[in-house]
Amino acid sequence: MASKTNPSTPRLSEAARVLNIPEGITSSGFGRVRRVAERLDIHFDRWQEGIGTLMLAKRADGGYASSVGGIGMSICRQTGKTFTVGTIIVIECLTHPGLKVIWTAHRTRTSAETFKSMQALVKRPGLARHCKAIRQTNGQEEIAFANGSRILFGAREQGFGRGFAAVDVIIFDEAQILTEKALEDMIPTANAAKNPLIIHMGTPPRPVDPGEVFAERRTAGLNHDPDSVWIEFGADRDCDTADPDAWAQANPSYPHRTKPTAMLRMLKNLGEDSFRREALGIWDQDSEHAAIDPELWAQAATVERKPGGWTAMAVDMPPHRGWITIGACQAYADGTAHIDIAALKGVRRHGTGWPIAYLAERWPRLAAVVIDAQSPATVLIPPLKAAGIDVTVTGASDMGKACGRMLDMLQYHELTHKAGRQPLDQAAAGANIRRIGTGGAFGWNKLGSDVDISPLVATTLALHGAVTSTRRPGDEPEQRMIELP
């Protein structure tokens, strides 16, 4: 970062899209930090000073105003967050002997990059003499100061953070990928500290990210939690991603520090959707709840599917076994697909035997019939096999791939669905995600007790069957999609 403050840079109140300030602030420790920084020839922009003032804001008893609720920052890439937060933390270490700081990222690569940036910072003239040692062992890095203060760096994916005690400052970098388990492991480490600071900073999470923790921080900020700080930078949801005005709205470092070429490079290499989240700070609508973006789902609706392709079907039942859904998918050689509900009937009126005859009649023209191993619909597998149908039974790994495939195809406009199918629309609107294993896979879950996601599960599995099956039966040039009675 440059050493001269640009007086034309915006204040935090002008730059932040959302700003929640805790109640009862009487002072801030940032004044001391700024004076030390100036002696070291380090200068902050006005919005960075605002962040520092809120980070170190105190109440009358001397405790940090955000000590209970924490500090959350939804901050875009290429804004200088490591410089801003890192400089403040380093100076706090210099002025508070024995301070213990944990800086943790989700990925090893991110942790390593942060450590490298912080090494460069402490090697600046005036700071180097206060640095006792820089250590790197077993994937855990440390900057140790002559006065006993320490900053430890590590990746949560490697288990870093467990076992520490009396930690004064915890920084959760990449907070959009912060799991409840990691939070539970690390928050108790600050319980013995006299005046702890807990900082969450990241970009808006993707639907597949375990972003619930970060989203909860955001919800608290939006609801004006009196004990927490929430700072959110972002452009308008409907902005043109190539518009420099949107870049300036989202990134207070643009254009005096973050140059246009850097933004264009991100736009070209990230793709528009990732660029909206990571460079423009735009949160998905209801991303803290819904798994499927309602805008993408609406864009994928179509009255008629295109001709051709091959058909697969899948069966699912909700846990209460009140009805049975048969989902259908028409897949095409160009990699696109169309999903629909083929049939949906109540068990009380129609029983459980009707799918056998329904699918047996159509099996000669189907590429696959799919049922998930965890579904109550597994009771249909023996009679379906007895009817000569080769049922594909999916496991957890298959479900993870199927759900990820559906989201990806929606994102890249490769998937359509029949417009006006209310059960499927309701399922898509009411679906959350559940984690499968530790590798980032997920399956559909429901948001509330009144939501039935079995139509979504059935069509997702039908898509999986259509894409993965090599069976192409029949000589007909076109196979007809079964319409809902």
Side-chain angles (χ1 to χ4, degrees), residues 221-243:
L222 295 176
N223 290 334
H224 308 294
D225 177 26
D227 296 311
S228 69
V229 171
W230 177 258
I231 303 167
E232 181 176 327
F233 298 97
D236 293 335
R237 183 177 302 279
D238 59 352
C239 71
D240 177 357
T241 56
D243 185 357

Side-chain angles (χ1 to χ4, degrees), residues 1-2 4-6 43 45 48 253-259:
M1 302 287 287
K4 292 184 178 180
T5 301
N6 187 337
H43 303 274
D45 287 346
Q48 293 170 325
S253 289
Y254 177 84
H256 66 288
R257 300 193 191 278
T258 305
K259 301 302 181 184

